[in-house]
Amino acid sequence: MAPTLTLKTGTSWPDAWRRCLAVAPEAFRDDRVLNLWNGAWQDDGRVLPAVSPVDGSPIAGPPRLDGTTAHRAVCAALDQHRAWRHLPLEERRARVAATLDALAEHRGLLALLLVWEIGKPWRLAQADVDRAIDGVRWYVDGIEPMLAGRAPLDGPVSNIASWNYPMSVLVHAVLVQALAGNAVIAKTPTDGGVACLTLACALAAREGIPVTLVSGSGGELSQALVRAPEIGCVSFVGGRDTGAAVATAVADLGKRHVLEQEGLNTWGIWNYSDWDTLTAVIPKLFDYGKQRCTAYPRFVVQRHLFDAFLAAYLPAVRTLRVGHPLAVEQRDDPYPELDFGPVINAAKAKELRDQVAEAIERGAVPLHRATPDDARFLPGQDTSAYVQPVTLLNPPSSSPLHHAEPFGPVDTIVLVDTEAELLAAMNASNGALVATLSTDDRATYDRLAPHIRAFKVGHGTPRSRGDRDELFGGLGASWRGAFVGGDLLVRAVTRGPEGERLPGNFPEYQLLP
């Protein structure tokens, strides 16, 4: 009989909220967070109710601004930008470094907010905070040569990012953009992360970083955050539908842009025999329930290797640990070691379950379907946002699981007989961020990899977004605009020589680094 679990001491949402009020009283009220614009915390916007994906309990919702107020915030950010861009680099560097020290001091609270707001297990929540801090420190230490011969943009950088990596993607980008001489604007993701971002921005604002943080619907705020003439660059991370609208707007305006969009990242298996290595990596691919832009939800497998693939894959996927990220046997026990907790909300969980059911009805073969029996939950807990791991063989072409990224713990497998079929299946989404090909023969990898339409292609190992000097981008419809990572991130948000062509994927050209 499984032991009865309880919440770890000091980790409840009220505990986290009290700590926020104590650390940054300027940014938090008893019942809400504030927007940050014109250099001050503003008690404005209509607060929407929100619940935690962890257990369905109420948490802080975003204080949504209207379009008119958002444009006032953008105009104020332009004033900040004009002052900040002339600040000496050493002063900017000192302020960003002080911000990193403050983030490190409150690492545990930032991670706890990520657990409650977006359902990250403790290990991954800490990693998100650490990657932001360590990544920006790399830029602080080496920024001079990256800025040689370059100048800040004419206006602030507008950041619109998805909810899954508030710290290591959004806060990281904001601080590097500021280090490069720009004022920065960030929109809180609609689906989660508002308290974590509010705390991070409060710590940055105290050090004099010219940051604006606002909430609101993308449709209502896009006129200000994307189309406003004051904006010097738009940085977007999200889905293809929203990204396409942003891409159209920035193309019409000739505005600098970095648009990271989703793609179906695939893992190919061809003339392969190192199954122990594959078994070891499978659980890691399920980190955070595959709610990552670099997750691998599709395996493309050579048909005559299918039995060996299953013998390596199924035992690994059966080891996955799912449950409440803060549920322990004794209140002072260490945080539980989990591969993932909930997906972002109950609506997403229902969508995934419906897609799986529909795919099976139309011919997909279920190879693995975990049950909640072994998951770690509190007694009586709301579990509506949890999805157990699922693996399907040959989803029908009519299913979204055939051609799109599920953004959840659902794997699909497609069988192929020829190299041409392998490449066609690996390129199903017209471009991806990452891909991997597992093959014993290096010559085969070298011959096939250039035909896989992904920005990064691994040989038997997963690829990631990367940190520090590792470049990042996408091919096809998975990316629009300048590539980032390493010095390319700085180049994307600064002006270089007249006529400079930035590495990136643009309507008029594609230039690989």
Side-chain angles (χ1 to χ4, degrees):
M1 181 176 177
T4 300
L5 302 179
T6 187
L7 196 68
K8 181 173 172 61
T9 298
T11 64
S12 71
W13 174 257
D15 289 330
W17 191 255
R18 282 192 291 270
R19 291 169 64 186
C20 289
L21 289 169
V23 172
E26 70 271 28
F28 293 84
R29 295 291 180 267
D30 288 340
D31 60 344
R32 63 173 292 170
V33 299
L34 306 184
N35 290 297
L36 172 61
W37 60 275
N38 196 26
W41 291 96
Q42 312 279 353
D43 190 1
D44 54 12
R46 180 171 60 92
V47 179
L48 291 187
V51 299
S52 170
V54 170
D55 62 1
S57 60
I59 59 173
R64 293 163 65 111
L65 296 180
D66 57 39
T68 300
T69 307
H71 193 261
R72 290 172 58 202
V74 170
C75 291
L78 178 61
D79 291 337
Q80 289 181 304
H81 179 83
R82 287 170 172 164
W84 177 259
R85 62 180 297 179
H86 297 297
L87 208 65
L89 174 58
E90 281 307 306
E91 179 64 23
R92 301 200 304 264
R93 176 154 53 183
R95 295 189 188 187
V96 172
T99 300
L100 298 178
D101 291 342
L103 294 174
E105 179 183 352
H106 298 289
R107 170 183 183 251
L109 178 54
L110 291 163
L112 184 58
L113 294 171
L114 291 179
V115 173
W116 280 110
E117 293 192 283
I118 61 175
K120 286 202 169 186
W122 182 251
R123 170 179 61 87
L124 299 176
Q126 286 185 306
D128 192 20
V129 178
D130 291 343
R131 284 181 60 194
I133 296 169
D134 296 342
V136 178
R137 283 200 197 280
W138 182 85
Y139 285 93
V140 168
D141 292 341
I143 190 63
E144 287 97 335
M146 300 183 203
L147 286 176
R150 309 192 67 80
L153 300 175
D154 293 331
V157 181
S158 176
N159 294 269
I160 303 169
S162 58
W163 44 265
N164 53 343
Y165 284 91
M167 294 295 297
S168 63
V169 173
L170 184 52
V171 171
H172 177 280
V174 160
L175 292 178
V176 175
Q177 292 160 5
L179 180 64
N182 303 289
V184 288
I185 304 168
K187 186 182 93 66
T188 62
T190 303
D191 288 323
V194 61
C196 178
L197 286 168
T198 299
L199 178 58
C201 288
L203 298 175
R206 285 181 182 177
E207 304 301 336
I209 304 296
V211 58
T212 294
L213 181 69
V214 295
S215 294
S217 73
E220 191 164 9
L221 300 195
S222 64
Q223 193 69 29
L225 301 185
V226 176
R227 293 182 171 273
E230 293 87 353
I231 297 296
C233 175
V234 176
S235 177
F236 170 87
V237 180
R240 288 194 179 183
D241 291 344
T242 304
V246 175
T248 299
V250 294
D252 290 346
L253 299 168
K255 196 181 293 290
R256 184 75 65 90
H257 58 283
V258 178
L259 311 181
E260 176 187 331
Q261 301 169 129
E262 64 189 14
L264 184 62
N265 306 315
T266 59
W267 193 301
I269 306 288
W270 189 261
N271 292 340
Y272 181 69
S273 63
D274 188 6
W275 301 112
D276 288 344
T277 295
L278 183 66
T279 297
V281 80
I282 292 298
K284 298 181 178 67
L285 301 182
F286 276 87
D287 272 356
Y288 195 33
K290 300 208 171 191
Q291 296 177 103
R292 313 187 314 277
C293 64
T294 54
Y296 287 83
R298 167 68 51 80
F299 288 89
V300 181
V301 182
Q302 193 173 10
R303 189 181 305 273
H304 85 264
L305 295 178
F306 185 46
D307 57 340
F309 171 82
L310 284 184
Y313 175 89
L314 289 176
V317 79
R318 288 170 181 149
T319 68
L320 294 172
R321 301 155 299 179
V322 183
H324 189 305
L326 302 171
V328 293
E329 294 182 23
Q330 302 295 327
R331 291 181 63 83
D332 292 327
D333 282 352
Y335 289 91
E337 287 290 333
L338 301 175
D339 295 291
F340 60 94
V343 295
I344 188 57
N345 52 45
K348 178 62 179 179
K350 181 180 185 303
E351 174 190 291
L352 286 169
R353 287 191 286 264
D354 289 347
Q355 288 178 352
V356 168
E358 182 182 40
I360 292 173
E361 288 177 2
R362 296 183 180 182
V365 179
L367 300 175
H368 173 73
R369 281 187 283 186
T371 68
D373 298 343
D374 295 325
R376 297 172 54 89
F377 294 129
L378 298 177
Q381 176 195 328
D382 183 329
T383 61
S384 57
Y386 290 78
V387 177
Q388 302 303 314
V390 178
T391 306
L392 302 178
L393 174 66
N394 289 338
S397 58
S398 59
S399 169
L401 297 176
H402 177 79
H403 55 78
E405 182 181 12
F407 231 64
V410 179
D411 272 354
T412 57
I413 301 172
V414 173
L415 303 182
V416 295
D417 297 297
T418 67
E419 290 183 356
E421 290 176 326
L422 174 80
L423 292 173
M426 293 189 72
N427 294 328
S429 67
N430 181 28
L433 304 176
V434 297
T436 291
L437 178 60
S438 289
T439 180
D440 292 342
D441 181 31
R442 179 72 200 198
T444 298
Y445 172 83
D446 290 340
R447 177 167 48 81
L448 296 179
H451 301 285
I452 299 172
R453 289 180 55 75
F455 186 77
K456 296 180 181 180
V457 181
H459 184 193
T461 58
R463 301 303 306 271
S464 69
R465 201 177 198 275
D467 295 301
R468 301 176 181 86
D469 59 348
E470 188 171 352
L471 308 181
F472 191 59
L475 299 184
S478 68
W479 196 278
R480 294 286 185 263
F483 296 146
V484 295
D487 70 321
L488 292 190
L489 175 53
V490 174
R491 291 171 65 182
V493 295
T494 53
R495 289 187 293 107
E498 186 71 26
E500 177 185 41
R501 285 161 55 97
L502 294 173
N505 189 21
F506 297 91
E508 62 275 16
Y509 74 88
Q510 181 187 81
L511 179 62
L512 295 175

